[in-house]
Amino acid sequence: MGGCSFLTGDVTLSADEATAYVGCGHGNPAGVYAYTVATGAKRSQIALGVNPHGIALSKDGSTMYVMAWGECEIYSVVMSGADVTGTTSSIIGQVNY
């Protein structure tokens, strides 16, 4: 599967279960990777925070929310179809938990 080397975080499936989104704390770069479930092929990736965990998709699949616990921030990613190549923004900075 190329991409994520170790310290894999959460894995979240798309609504149709065709795409798996994997948070990777030490990839090249660290971020969220999208894989085609049927083949294991990497579809796309996006650099996103430090140690991304807590991946969730909106009901319509248009937005991904990711907690980067290494920074204590929550990001939103505007999706480009099933790929994680859209616009990112920090929606909540420095979450204390």
Side-chain angles (χ1 to χ4, degrees):
M1 277 207 288
C4 189
S5 56
F6 61 96
L7 280 185
T8 300
D10 290 345
V11 176
T12 300
L13 291 174
S14 59
D16 63 3
E17 299 184 350
T19 305
Y21 301 100
V22 180
C24 183
H26 289 280
N28 187 16
V32 176
Y33 292 69
Y35 293 94
T36 300
V37 172
T39 65
K42 183 172 69 171
R43 293 177 53 130
S44 60
Q45 68 189 58
I46 191 165
L48 189 65
V50 177
N51 293 327
H53 289 274
I55 301 168
L57 294 171
S58 61
K59 288 185 180 185
D60 65 2
S62 66
T63 306
M64 175 185 291
Y65 300 95
V66 181
M67 172 67 179
W69 64 266
E71 298 172 333
C72 296
E73 295 206 31
I74 298 173
Y75 290 90
S76 66
V77 179
V78 177
M79 303 291 284
S80 177
D83 292 326
V84 289
T85 56
T87 305
T88 66
S89 61
S90 175
I91 58 171
I92 300 174
Q94 294 302 306
V95 176
N96 295 314
Y97 54 94

